[in-house]
Amino acid sequence: MKRILLIATTLVSLQSPSHAADATEEDQIAILQSAASQQQKDAACAQLKRIGTARSVPALAALLTDDQLSHSARYALESMPLPEAGAALVGALDNASALTKVGIIISLSNRRETAALSALAKLLADSDFATASSAAVALGKIGGPQAIQALKAARSTAPAGIQPALTNALLRCAEQLLASGDKAAASAIYQQFLDSKEQRFRTAAWRGLILSAGKNAAPLALKALSGDDRPACLAALQLIAEIPGNSATRTVAGALSSLPPATQVAVIVALEHRGDAAAIPALLPSTKTSSDTVRVAALRALAAIGDTSVIAPLAEAAAGAKGLVLEASRDALDRLRGKAIAKAMLVQLPSAPAEVQTELILSLGRRRETSAVPTLLKLAESSMESQRAALLQSLALTADETTMTDLVRLLTNAGSDDVRDAVEKTLLAICSRSKRSEICAAPMLKAARSAATPARCALLRVLGRIAGNESLQELRAATRDKDSAVQDAAIRSLADAGRPDAMPDLLTLAREAPTLSHRVLALRGYWRVVSLSDKRPTAERLKMCAAGFAASQRPEEQKLGLIELPKIPDADAIKLAESFITDNAVRAEAGMAIVQTARSIATAHRTAAKAALTKLLATVSDAAVSEAAEALLSELEPAAGHITVWLVAGPYSEAGKNYRALFDTVFPPEQPDAKQVRWRTLPAGTSAGKPWLLDLLKFLGGEQCVAYVRTYVHSDKQQPARLDIGSDDGLKVWLNGALVLANNIARPITPGSDKAAITLKHGWNTLLLKITQNNMGWEFCVRIVKPDGAPLIGFRTETSPAP
């Protein structure tokens, strides 16, 4: 009786989330031995996994052959570091079902249960495939001489389906032997599978064999690489980066030339991953081989592991190469790391052949080696004429404003246009990086006053890119110079510079420059500054545009200004564009400017945007502009084109007829003589947010009836159009007495669900609709658009035709 009470109390405690903290091992054993539910026993097993001792093993063992609870019992026993737990699992093997037996085998393998080796060895011959395969896996996981012996013995008699599991298991045993240091025993197992029919096993065998070869690992890997067995090659390639020691590096690298090109590439990549400089001597010859693929791989590897000894070979490779090899050679030079690299390059520079000098100089620049600047500058000033372009190119990347005096001197003393142009580019690069414009400008301003014309022109071009009043004054004075070349250079410099402080000068030049080309250059330069001034206040930008338009006499420059107007979200920008709308030369550009500006202001100034678009459509003749304006107007005014002016008659109904029958019943409004019809104004805008929707139910009420609505459409000309109609429910439509649409249907309203192609005659057109009502909603909407759906212009609607 006390035992029953204990079980009952424990079962009640399991209903509480806190039962785990208070449950004892005895409580859980009692549950397992009771008639408790599967869920309760599963929970008890989970608790015993945590608190169980040898006392709970028998109760758990009794559940191992229960297909429903075996997993729960194994879950507890598997983690118990007790020989009793292992014995219980082994003992259950004979009586368990096939599926449950597999689970027990897995638990034994997870425990590395050596006591199970004999039982598992017997199961290798089991007729159940899953059982035999699981036993093999378990033996491989447990390992050891007994497992190996059992697995080897089974290979001779096991069916083909089990063989892969046996092989996997033996290879796993070999891995354990290798990890424990028994390389000879591991090697013996690996040897058995070098001729396996399955590639994965041959690869694993070669891998293990190489790893177990010790000092002979590298030669063995080379043997594998030299053969025709792909798995052997794959295993060797995977391991080259892992075999320890400089001697292994030298052995593998030394055999490169004997390997096929494709294998050479793979080995070179592996040597790169090793990161061992011992491979450098063997890699250098590969940079000169006939195979570009091998050369590129060797160059990339040298970039990763190279030192100062590879500088000259890499530069030589670049000097005589092209395409991918040239790219890889230069990249390798640039990627070499170490404080000694730049110094070594500079040491080798003077005595190197000219082509190699060029590559070294260019690399110093790409590497941004600022320590090389004094040497590069000295060489640029020397007689190294053939290398001067490369030297100046590198100085453009490495020098700063402290070199300006020397570079200006080099420019003023240049004996050729090519050198002068190269120095100019270098000065421009330095000035664009520098934040000390006054230091950049000082030596150029000083030299510009006395330099010969070519040099002065070059200096003026650079001064245009340097902020500051002094540079602007020098340019301003030069625009009036008697020397036409100097004047041209100054004007072009101002026009190209994009300097806001030069805008007054550009406007002056646009009006007063002696040649048309200079006036045009000044104006284009001015508009360029306007384009770059998008951060300035709107009012200021508008003034800039107005001043630019005042100076722009040619359509070409006016178009530049019209491009800028849409960038200014202000209604005054539209007014500026409108002043050009009658000019045939720019009216299309002006029209597009109005459309684009209207779009930019539409969110804040919808009314102004709509007014501008409507005004534009009244005068525009360009099809693209008209289409763009109509599309935007349609976006801004969803009700555009909708008819909201209507007279209504009805409702009409007949006893015994529903809405569908009434559809074809002729009532007075659709008869030729409709004098007895009482027409009333139908209120519009009764639906919030939907001013285009007309609600008949609110005005008329009723079910199983029809109503008629009528309006008059005046068209400025005869033109094709389309009616887009939505109705709840069905409808008939007449235009000028002709039926153009009929749809007898019950439905909720969907705007535009019915469409009818029509032709509006010049003058007044009568539009009549008959709309049926089933029940619930009773609404309609009508929109007149172009045949392609674009907004239609040139029509209006009234409830009666005006004179």
Side-chain angles (χ1 to χ4, degrees):
M1 184 67 179
K2 291 177 68 177
R3 181 174 180 80
I4 294 174
L5 287 173
L6 174 62
I7 294 172
T9 302
T10 304
L11 291 176
V12 170
S13 71
L14 284 172
Q15 308 302 316
S16 168
S18 62
H19 78 276
D22 301 324
T24 65
E25 183 178 21
E26 184 179 353
D27 296 336
Q28 311 311 315
I29 293 172
I31 293 171
L32 296 183
Q33 295 173 340
S34 73
S37 69
Q38 179 181 331
Q39 181 181 6
Q40 291 166 331
K41 289 185 178 182
D42 180 76
C45 289
Q47 289 301 311
L48 289 173
K49 174 181 176 65
R50 184 173 63 85
I51 63 173
T53 65
R55 286 184 301 167
S56 62
V57 170
L60 290 166
L63 300 178
L64 286 173
T65 56
D66 184 326
D67 289 343
Q68 301 301 317
L69 288 168
S70 178
H71 176 77
S72 302
R74 288 193 297 106
Y75 180 71
L77 290 168
E78 186 179 304
S79 61
M80 289 183 179
L82 304 169
E84 294 88 345
L89 289 165
V90 174
L93 286 172
D94 291 337
N95 299 318
S97 64
L99 184 61
T100 301
K101 188 180 296 183
V102 169
I104 295 171
I105 293 170
I106 292 172
S107 290
L108 289 168
S109 69
N110 290 340
R111 286 175 58 88
R112 305 293 199 278
E113 187 63 60
T114 56
L117 287 173
S118 297
L120 291 171
K122 293 178 182 178
L123 292 176
L124 291 174
D126 197 281
S127 59
D128 181 69
F129 172 82
T131 299
S133 297
S134 298
V137 172
L139 287 167
K141 198 169 183 178
I142 297 169
Q146 187 177 347
I148 293 171
Q149 183 179 358
L151 291 166
K152 286 182 176 180
R155 288 187 68 206
S156 60
T157 57
I162 305 300
Q163 291 293 337
L166 294 171
T167 302
N168 263 323
L170 280 167
L171 289 172
R172 187 159 190 174
C173 289
E175 287 179 8
Q176 295 179 31
L177 291 171
L178 188 61
S180 67
D182 192 348
K183 295 181 179 180
S187 178
I189 294 175
Y190 289 130
Q191 291 278 0
Q192 297 178 43
F193 301 104
L194 292 180
D195 297 323
S196 173
K197 294 181 180 180
E198 291 198 42
Q199 179 173 316
R200 57 179 175 142
F201 294 142
R202 294 206 309 278
T203 301
W206 270 104
R207 179 181 174 84
L209 196 63
I210 293 170
L211 287 173
S212 63
K215 294 181 179 181
N216 295 319
L220 187 58
L222 285 175
K223 179 181 177 181
L225 289 171
S226 302
D228 296 328
D229 190 2
R230 180 175 173 79
C233 290
L234 183 62
L237 288 172
Q238 291 172 344
L239 289 174
I240 285 175
E242 301 177 23
I243 302 172
N246 298 127
S247 60
T249 301
R250 286 190 286 269
T251 298
V252 173
L256 273 175
S257 60
S258 64
L259 300 172
T263 307
Q264 286 187 49
V265 171
V267 172
I268 289 171
V269 171
L271 289 170
E272 177 184 348
H273 290 162
R274 285 180 67 84
D276 189 351
I280 291 175
L283 286 172
L284 288 175
S286 295
T287 64
K288 300 178 181 180
T289 185
S290 59
S291 169
D292 284 354
T293 307
V294 174
R295 293 179 69 188
V296 169
L299 291 164
R300 289 174 178 169
L302 288 172
I305 65 176
D307 51 25
T308 57
S309 66
V310 305
I311 292 174
L314 291 176
E316 290 170 3
K322 58 183 178 180
L324 289 176
V325 176
L326 173 61
E327 182 181 333
S329 303
R330 289 180 170 175
D331 181 66
L333 273 174
D334 299 347
R335 286 172 52 203
L336 290 174
R337 289 292 171 260
K339 295 180 179 180
I341 298 297
K343 184 178 180 180
M345 284 185 174
L346 291 171
V347 169
Q348 296 178 31
L349 190 55
S351 59
E355 296 82 359
V356 175
Q357 283 182 338
T358 298
E359 295 301 330
L360 292 174
I361 292 167
L362 291 173
S363 182
L364 286 166
R366 291 191 299 268
R367 292 169 63 90
R368 303 300 195 275
E369 297 287 359
T370 56
S371 62
V373 169
T375 301
L376 296 176
L377 192 58
K378 183 178 180 181
L379 291 172
E381 293 176 316
S382 71
S383 58
M384 289 183 66
E385 190 74 28
S386 61
Q387 308 305 328
R388 191 162 286 159
L391 288 162
L392 290 168
Q393 187 176 330
S394 286
L395 284 168
L397 297 170
T398 56
D400 59 20
E401 58 274 356
T402 61
T403 64
M404 294 296 287
T405 299
D406 294 321
L407 288 170
V408 169
R409 183 173 60 251
L410 184 59
L411 185 146
T412 56
N413 294 333
S416 69
D417 291 340
D418 289 342
V419 173
R420 190 181 304 107
D421 290 344
V423 179
E424 181 183 337
K425 290 177 182 178
T426 302
L427 290 170
L428 283 169
I430 295 170
C431 292
S432 67
R433 291 197 305 270
S434 176
K435 296 181 179 180
R436 297 188 286 177
S437 58
E438 68 285 352
I439 296 178
C440 289
M444 288 191 285
L445 289 168
K446 182 178 179 180
R449 292 162 192 145
S450 58
T453 296
R456 187 180 178 192
C457 290
L459 292 170
L460 288 171
R461 286 190 289 268
V462 180
L463 283 169
R465 304 302 177 92
I466 301 177
N469 189 50
E470 289 187 349
S471 63
L472 181 59
Q473 287 180 357
E474 182 67 26
L475 288 166
R476 184 181 296 139
T479 62
R480 300 187 294 271
D481 198 274
K482 294 179 181 180
D483 189 326
S484 60
V486 171
Q487 187 182 85
D488 180 76
I491 293 174
R492 290 180 183 277
S493 183
L494 282 172
D496 292 342
R499 297 174 55 155
D501 60 351
M503 294 185 80
D505 296 280
L506 290 170
L507 282 177
T508 299
L509 288 167
R511 293 189 298 267
E512 302 175 3
T515 66
L516 175 63
S517 62
H518 285 158
R519 293 195 296 273
V520 170
L521 282 171
L523 264 177
R524 293 185 177 180
Y526 179 88
W527 285 120
R528 181 168 182 267
V529 179
V530 173
S531 177
L532 297 172
S533 302
D534 56 330
K535 303 299 183 185
R536 293 197 174 197
T538 296
E540 185 177 345
R541 292 166 66 195
L542 284 169
K543 288 181 180 179
M544 292 165 63
C545 286
F549 282 126
S552 298
Q553 302 301 315
R554 300 193 326 147
E556 291 81 358
E557 286 68 54
Q558 291 169 348
K559 290 177 182 180
L560 292 175
L562 289 168
I563 290 173
E564 298 305 319
L565 284 179
K567 302 175 185 177
I568 307 175
D570 192 280
D572 285 340
I574 293 178
K575 293 178 181 178
L576 281 174
E578 287 175 342
S579 65
F580 293 93
I581 203 64
T582 58
D583 187 337
N584 290 332
V586 295
R587 66 189 310 171
E589 289 76 10
M592 280 300 185
I594 292 171
V595 174
Q596 292 166 6
T597 309
R599 181 180 291 280
S600 70
I601 70 170
T603 301
H605 305 286
R606 182 177 293 267
T607 301
K610 287 165 54 180
L613 292 169
T614 303
K615 181 179 178 181
L616 176 63
L617 286 168
T619 59
V620 71
S621 58
D622 184 88
V625 173
S626 178
E627 182 179 346
E630 289 171 350
L632 179 56
L633 189 60
S634 179
E635 290 179 31
L636 298 180
E637 183 52 81
H642 282 88
I643 303 175
T644 57
V645 178
W646 294 94
L647 294 177
V648 62
Y652 295 92
S653 62
E654 284 189 10
K657 289 187 177 182
N658 65 8
Y659 76 98
R660 187 174 292 277
L662 294 171
F663 183 81
D664 290 320
T665 301
V666 178
F667 292 102
E670 62 180 281
Q671 294 172 356
D673 185 5
K675 293 180 180 180
Q676 304 302 316
V677 178
R678 182 190 174 205
W679 292 101
R680 294 174 287 170
T681 300
L682 180 62
T686 58
S687 297
K690 299 178 181 178
W692 38 266
L693 184 65
L694 285 300
D695 194 330
L696 294 170
L697 186 63
K698 284 183 180 179
F699 189 66
L700 300 176
E703 293 184 355
Q704 306 305 324
C705 56
V706 301
Y708 293 83
V709 294
R710 185 185 70 189
T711 193
Y712 293 90
V713 181
H714 186 278
S715 178
D716 294 345
K717 59 183 178 181
Q718 179 171 312
Q719 57 181 326
R722 190 181 78 195
L723 291 174
D724 287 0
I725 306 175
S727 65
D728 179 355
D729 292 290
L731 81 163
K732 285 185 177 181
V733 182
W734 294 267
L735 179 67
N736 296 323
L739 184 67
V740 296
L741 178 65
N743 190 0
N744 192 359
I745 191 172
R747 63 182 177 188
I749 188 168
T750 301
S753 57
D754 288 318
K755 304 182 188 299
I758 61 172
T759 298
L760 292 173
K761 67 182 182 180
H762 177 246
W764 289 104
N765 299 261
T766 304
L767 183 61
L768 177 68
L769 277 67
K770 179 180 182 178
I771 304 166
T772 63
Q773 160 67 337
N774 180 17
N775 52 35
M776 300 177 66
W778 194 12
E779 303 166 315
F780 75 98
C781 59
V782 180
R783 187 184 186 199
I784 302 182
V785 296
K786 286 184 175 182
D788 62 359
L792 184 70
I793 306 300
F795 80 94
R796 68 182 191 275
T797 57
E798 301 287 349
T799 54
S800 62

